[in-house]
Amino acid sequence: MRKAGQICRDLHELLAGYIKPGITTEELNEIALDYIQSQDAAPSFLGYRGFPAAICTSVNEQVIHGVPGMRKLKNGDIISIDAGVCWKRFHADAARTHAVGDVSEKHKKLLDVTERCFFEAMKHASQGKHLHDMGAAIEEYVQYNGFSVVTDWCGHGIGRQVHEDPSIPHTAQKTRGPRLTKGMTIAVEPMINVGTHELDIHEDTWTVVTRDGKFSAHYENTVLITDGSPEILTL
């Protein structure tokens, strides 16, 4: 999983260099597929439940599961790229949201808060803590900064399958949830919206969008729980 995480990390660093006005989301997908295969790995998402691409490319009000296509990025957009890598039957999963050219101050703050709330959760990602502790930390930080947390979708366990138990909520829960134990590997992936947390599904049946059309950002890493500080496998 460390090797899968390294490939996933390097993939995101590679794609970041291509994100600029004029490139299409399909071109980003082709770059991703070529790179993953060059590492003797496979894209975890391609064909997963019928998904047609190697990565998810979600632009602006698209929250997750955006399907790559002929859409050209333009100045002021933001784009979330979610990528999974399988190496020797083990998976890693990570997402990053990027500014395209010059973006508004509000959307710069959205990207910063989305990344920061992940690391707020990491303060509680150690043996003996509970899932509730991470979710509560994310929700508190996001609400303090005036944004909303997506509740319809969540993080997940990961290992021999790209999606495993347990589900990882990004808000406070009524119960404490499972206890974190050394050796667990989980994908923590807060999705943060400028406006409402309410979502709709696009007519393509894949792309999740904000109901009010306002922008959304996504930040994810694959995390190994230890008896001390967590090891983030995709950083």
Side-chain angles (χ1 to χ4, degrees):
M1 287 190 70
R2 287 189 178 96
K3 177 64 175 178
Q6 174 216 316
I7 297 169
C8 196
R9 174 201 69 200
D10 292 348
L11 170 63
H12 277 290
E13 292 181 0
L14 173 70
L15 291 173
Y18 286 92
I19 294 172
K20 58 186 178 181
I23 196 168
T24 69
T25 53
E26 177 54 34
E27 287 172 322
L28 293 171
N29 179 64
E30 291 171 358
I31 293 166
L33 180 59
D34 287 347
Y35 179 75
I36 294 169
Q37 292 177 336
S38 77
Q39 302 301 302
D40 295 322
S44 301
F45 299 163
L46 182 60
Y48 182 77
R49 298 184 179 177
F51 190 75
I55 58 173
C56 302
T57 53
S58 305
V59 182
N60 298 342
E61 78 283 356
Q62 298 175 348
V63 182
I64 48 174
H65 304 161
V67 179
M70 292 301 103
R71 180 174 185 166
K72 289 185 178 181
L73 299 182
K74 64 181 188 298
N75 190 61
D77 285 344
I78 65 172
I79 179 170
S80 300
I81 295 179
D82 192 357
V85 169
C86 182
W87 190 79
K88 295 189 183 295
R89 299 190 298 276
F90 284 91
H91 295 265
D93 188 2
R96 305 283 185 266
T97 304
H98 303 271
V100 182
D102 299 317
V103 302
S104 71
E105 289 302 316
K106 177 184 288 186
H107 295 142
K108 287 180 183 177
K109 180 180 178 181
L110 173 68
L111 269 58
D112 180 66
V113 169
T114 303
E115 181 173 339
R116 278 299 333 151
C117 73
F118 168 87
F119 290 100
E120 290 298 312
M122 290 302 98
K123 295 176 182 178
H124 305 277
S126 61
Q127 181 165 271
K129 292 281 191 173
H130 291 76
L131 291 184
H132 165 85
D133 300 317
M134 290 193 297
I138 290 170
E139 184 176 36
E140 180 179 0
Y141 186 79
V142 172
Q143 290 185 343
Y144 175 80
N145 283 280
F147 297 127
S148 66
V149 183
V150 168
T151 56
D152 291 351
W153 299 85
C154 59
H156 50 91
I158 184 170
R160 294 181 186 273
Q161 303 295 325
V162 69
H163 290 129
E164 299 180 350
D165 290 332
S167 295
I168 313 293
H170 302 124
T171 57
Q173 302 294 298
K174 293 181 179 179
T175 62
R176 299 182 72 186
R179 184 185 298 272
L180 299 175
T181 58
K182 182 179 179 179
M184 289 178 69
T185 43
I186 57 177
V188 181
E189 52 177 317
M191 294 149 264
I192 309 304
N193 297 348
V194 169
T196 180
H197 71 278
E198 296 179 327
L199 309 175
D200 291 313
I201 305 292
H202 189 270
E203 61 185 14
D204 66 9
T205 73
W206 280 108
T207 309
V208 179
V209 299
T210 59
R211 184 162 296 174
D212 58 11
K214 295 182 179 179
F215 282 19
S216 181
H218 183 198
Y219 186 84
E220 175 185 23
N221 283 300
T222 297
V223 178
L224 169 64
I225 302 300
T226 74
D227 54 7
S229 299
E231 182 179 345
I232 302 175
L233 302 184
T234 45
L235 282 180

